[in-house]
Amino acid sequence: MPPPPLHRAAAERFERELGARDEQIAHLTELLETALAAASHGAQSAQNDIAALSAGITELTADLGRARARIAELVVSVQTEDYEEQLAACRERAEALEEEVADAEEWNQQLERQLQELPLDFVQQPLTDALSTGKLSSAPSLDTWLKKEEAVAVDRLLANVAPGGRNAQDATPGTVIASPSREHPDYYFQWVRDAAITMSSLVDLYTDDPASPLAAHLLEILDAYTSLQHTLQRTTNPSGTFSDLSCLGEPKFHTDGSAFTGSWGRPQRDGPPLRAIALMQYLHAYNASHPTLWSSEEGVEWFKTLYEPSLPAQSIIKADLEYISHNWHESGFDLWEEVRGLHFFTAMVQLRALREGAELAAAFGDVGAASWYQSQAEDMELFLEEFWDPKGSYRRDVGERALWTRLDGHVFLPHSDETLVTLLALTHDQRDRFPINFAPRDGLFAQTLAAVTMPLQGVGIGRYPEDAYNGYDSSTPDAGNPWFLCTTSAAEVLYRTAAHIQESGRLHVRERGAPFWEALLSATDTWLPLSPKPPDRTYHLADQLFNTTLARLKEVGDSFLDVVRRHASDEGSLSEQFDRVTGYETGARDLTWSYGALLQALRAREALH
Ligand code: NOJ
Ligand code: NOJ
């Protein structure tokens, strides 16, 4: 059967659909063309961008290349310069090392020679250890600090002295308070000893420039001190009365001049000689600055208060000299106020006062007194010899061993062998006793040397080894601390020894003093020859040993003052003690004597040239 004929309507519909499709195709074709055109445009611009970028990269690469080249150039030049510098430094170091090696070799040879003579079982260290030996050098700022501290010390010392002292406003004129501390501990008293030592420092200041405004104020103080002592000498107190002079042994008074009646270590017989020494110094200084006084009417009056021949004694110095010359063999308490006995310090200052007193008496025509004081001084010298312990250190009193005392008499002078080996022994004791003194020493070689001789170096020094007084009480054994005034006295002894050697132009090394000189020199490359044995040799300016010794005395003296600097407060105040463990100031604050002792050490330092 034939297919059914296309229905016209259906055919028309198909045709319409075909037409619509054609239109659609045409539209899509158009869209496609537009899209193709856009794509090719995008590609073009991308290509452009790429080209631009790669041009940029090329440029940057070129820059980088140039920069690299520049860096390379710079590196080369830097390296070259650096290298040259390094080379120069290396050469210098090599030369220094060569010298050190030569020195060390020489040193080793000397050491070997000396070792053969030494009875000690001593192991020699290799050369490399010798190279590491450090030398003591004092801190560069010590001089600057000392300059400032000197002014602080004068100011704070005067603050404790009436009239005028800001801490002593309610004290009788002429009073020196020991410290402004009125409790824990109560030092608001006048000790005869502290006051006399302070007056010696003030006379020194007066002598420096008698025409200065300061000197005028000092004279006011010295005159007030003089009349106050005249009164104190006549004040009945627990030590006795003026009729037999026994009251002169009283150690301290209230600041209004009245007697202190509490229990105390009394009598203390160093007060009268220290006062006499200070007043004789004043008399000489004032006389020197007023040349016509001695032969004037007015002079007769002025000198009379201080010295005149009548007996019973009317004048201050004569009363003190009478007391000393009649009582020096009687026991008493010494400057540390604890032990009754015949003490070294007391005897030394008594001897000095008697010697100077004999001269003064002669100058006043008091001939009988002059020869009496002189004969007592001679007896004292024999007595003082008993203090020398043949094992090598002083005894503080007969029968008791102790190392320290302030040395200022006519025997056992600061530069004497006995003084110097005593100082050495005390320094070593204190170094090993107080934790603050355990600082590392100068290197291995020096430590090894210590087996033979201990290098001498500044440390904090206390009153005496077994001291228990911590500034407040004495209840705990071994609680003592280093003291500023003892540490500065160690420096003073060394400076004065240096001054003595400088002035005399000779250094005499004997067997007794040899341990000190060895310890002093053992941190240097100058050796004390051990032959002749026992050593007995004199050195002069042309000898290296003479010069090294002088330099070392100053250097070690400075190292003691450096300890003071380390433990002083930032403002430069000095108390009585500094703590054996923490190093901080402790005990009575602003101790007058601490400042006076520092000023005396500085004076001795300034005398060196
Ligand atoms: C007791 C101490 O031991 C002594 O040396 C010191 O002088 C006084 N106390 C001061 O208070
Ligand atoms: C204690 C000392 O040991 C003594 O010498 C001194 O006189 C007093 N303190 C007062 O400073």
Side-chain angles (χ1 to χ4, degrees):
M1 198 169 69
L6 275 177
H7 198 281
R8 187 160 209 38
E12 281 173 358
R13 204 179 68 232
F14 270 123
E15 255 173 51
R16 270 198 313 274
E17 269 179 26
L18 278 175
R21 297 248 162 98
D22 280 346
E23 248 171 62
Q24 240 178 340
I25 287 167
H27 180 62
L28 286 172
T29 310
E30 206 179 304
L31 281 179
L32 185 65
E33 274 166 5
T34 315
L36 280 174
S40 98
H41 179 75
Q44 187 59 47
S45 84
Q47 255 170 10
N48 287 351
D49 284 354
I50 287 168
L53 278 176
S54 53
I57 286 170
T58 315
E59 219 170 279
L60 281 176
T61 312
D63 275 358
L64 190 65
R66 281 194 294 278
R68 282 220 177 97
R70 179 75 193 119
I71 286 170
E73 268 172 39
L74 285 174
V75 167
V76 169
S77 71
V78 166
Q79 274 174 351
T80 319
E81 281 162 24
D82 209 27
Y83 173 73
E84 267 163 20
E85 242 170 56
Q86 279 179 19
L87 195 63
C90 281
R91 279 210 193 101
E92 231 170 79
R93 177 90 190 103
E95 272 164 29
L97 280 173
E98 257 168 44
E99 264 173 43
E100 273 185 54
V101 169
D103 281 355
E105 269 168 359
E106 201 182 303
W107 196 353
N108 260 20
Q109 281 166 11
Q110 277 195 38
L111 184 60
E112 245 165 68
R113 282 197 296 277
Q114 298 199 15
L115 277 175
Q116 285 160 7
E117 294 179 40
L118 280 175
L120 285 160
D121 186 14
F122 174 77
V123 186
Q124 192 186 344
Q125 288 298 299
L127 183 63
T128 44
D129 290 341
L131 294 178
S132 73
T133 305
K135 285 186 190 170
L136 274 177
S137 61
S138 49
S141 56
L142 182 67
D143 277 312
T144 320
W145 184 80
L146 287 176
K147 215 144 195 46
K148 246 175 79 191
E149 183 62 15
E150 187 170 5
V152 173
V154 171
D155 174 65
R156 293 194 175 226
L157 183 147
L158 286 173
N160 291 352
V161 180
R166 58 183 176 273
N167 297 328
Q169 281 168 10
D170 57 5
T172 303
T175 299
V176 176
I177 57 167
S179 148
S181 174
R182 294 180 193 233
E183 53 176 358
H184 191 67
D186 185 2
Y187 270 42
Y188 201 72
F189 291 95
Q190 48 179 325
W191 267 263
V192 177
R193 167 182 40 259
D194 297 42
I197 290 172
T198 304
M199 285 304 139
S200 286
S201 300
L202 295 187
V203 176
D204 282 340
L205 282 179
Y206 170 76
T207 313
D208 285 343
D209 185 3
S212 67
L214 174 65
H217 178 48
L218 294 174
L219 280 186
E220 195 191 345
I221 291 173
L222 285 158
D223 283 346
Y225 170 77
T226 305
S227 27
L228 178 58
Q229 294 312 306
H230 190 267
T231 309
L232 293 185
Q233 278 188 332
R234 284 156 184 80
T235 304
T236 300
N237 60 53
S239 292
T241 59
F242 190 65
S243 56
D244 62 354
L245 298 182
S246 53
C247 68
L248 300 194
E250 186 62 10
K252 70 174 194 182
F253 293 84
H254 288 289
T255 56
D256 63 0
S258 63
F260 167 75
T261 52
S263 74
W264 206 256
R266 56 168 70 91
Q268 294 182 15
R269 302 184 195 275
D270 60 334
L274 288 168
R275 174 169 53 207
I277 290 166
L279 288 178
M280 285 189 269
Q281 203 186 334
Y282 175 39
L283 185 151
H284 289 301
Y286 192 76
N287 184 47
S289 58
H290 296 77
T292 57
L293 190 69
W294 179 250
S295 44
S296 71
E297 281 286 311
E298 190 198 344
V300 175
E301 280 306 301
W302 191 86
F303 287 109
K304 202 166 91 180
T305 329
L306 291 171
Y307 194 93
E308 56 121 5
S310 59
L311 274 177
Q314 300 301 314
S315 62
I316 310 173
I317 298 173
K318 176 102 181 178
D320 282 338
L321 293 174
E322 287 301 308
Y323 177 81
I324 301 163
S325 58
H326 291 283
N327 291 285
W328 63 264
H329 23 57
E330 303 291 339
S331 71
F333 289 80
D334 78 349
L335 74 171
W336 307 140
E337 311 190 294
E338 293 163 329
V339 179
R340 185 161 192 137
L342 288 166
H343 296 283
F344 182 71
F345 176 87
T346 310
M348 285 289 282
V349 291
Q350 286 173 334
L351 171 63
R352 176 172 168 188
L354 285 179
R355 284 218 176 281
E356 294 181 4
E359 277 175 28
L360 188 75
F364 279 86
D366 194 1
V367 189
S371 75
W372 162 247
Y373 301 149
Q374 186 61 34
S375 73
Q376 292 307 299
E378 278 158 23
D379 289 354
M380 282 207 80
E381 276 192 16
L382 295 177
F383 162 70
L384 266 157
E385 276 173 21
E386 286 182 47
F387 285 89
W388 174 251
D389 172 353
K391 286 203 295 297
S393 54
Y394 283 131
R395 288 176 290 172
R396 180 156 154 253
D397 58 13
V398 179
E400 180 208 351
R401 179 173 172 278
L403 298 165
W404 181 254
T405 183
R406 193 160 178 281
L407 306 149
D408 231 346
H410 283 241
V411 288
F412 302 136
L413 289 164
H415 58 263
S416 70
D417 288 343
E418 293 83 358
T419 305
L420 295 174
V421 294
T422 302
L423 177 63
L424 176 69
L426 179 66
T427 303
H428 287 162
D429 176 280
Q430 306 285 283
R431 181 193 64 189
D432 300 337
R433 185 176 294 271
F434 298 137
I436 50 155
N437 287 341
F438 298 167
R441 310 270 162 252
D442 328 46
L444 194 57
F445 188 64
Q447 277 176 31
T448 313
L449 282 178
V452 184
T453 54
M454 301 282 232
L456 188 59
Q457 188 180 338
V459 294
I461 301 278
R463 299 195 297 182
Y464 56 92
E466 63 277 19
D467 197 359
Y469 179 52
N470 63 5
Y472 309 99
D473 63 65
S474 305
S475 55
T476 319
D478 280 333
N481 292 306
W483 284 44
F484 284 110
L485 70 94
C486 298
T487 307
T488 53
S489 294
E492 186 186 339
V493 165
L494 297 171
Y495 296 142
R496 288 173 64 168
T497 301
H500 171 78
I501 295 171
Q502 246 171 14
E503 277 154 29
S504 66
R506 54 200 285 278
L507 163 63
H508 192 172
V509 177
R510 296 176 208 81
E511 188 184 7
R512 194 169 273 189
F516 172 81
W517 303 116
E518 278 183 335
L520 185 77
L521 291 170
S522 68
T524 74
D525 49 12
T526 304
W527 280 78
L528 195 68
L530 292 181
S531 84
K533 212 180 167 190
D536 188 5
R537 235 162 112 165
T538 304
Y539 298 87
H540 300 97
L541 202 60
D543 299 313
Q544 196 200 337
L545 192 135
F546 178 94
N547 296 294
T548 310
T549 300
L550 272 184
R552 279 289 290 162
L553 284 167
K554 165 91 181 343
E555 195 174 56
V556 181
D558 280 0
S559 71
F560 278 99
L561 291 190
D562 211 37
V563 172
V564 170
R565 176 171 69 123
R566 218 173 309 139
H567 300 284
S569 77
D570 290 348
E571 299 79 47
S573 74
L574 302 177
S575 57
E576 182 182 72
Q577 318 184 7
F578 42 104
D579 191 281
R580 52 158 58 205
V581 178
T582 66
Y584 282 106
E585 290 190 298
T586 189
R589 74 185 158 92
D590 285 308
L591 190 83
T592 319
W593 191 356
S594 294
Y595 297 119
L598 177 75
L599 290 175
Q600 273 171 349
L602 287 181
R603 191 161 287 273
R605 187 178 191 261
E606 278 152 22
L608 298 175
H609 36 83

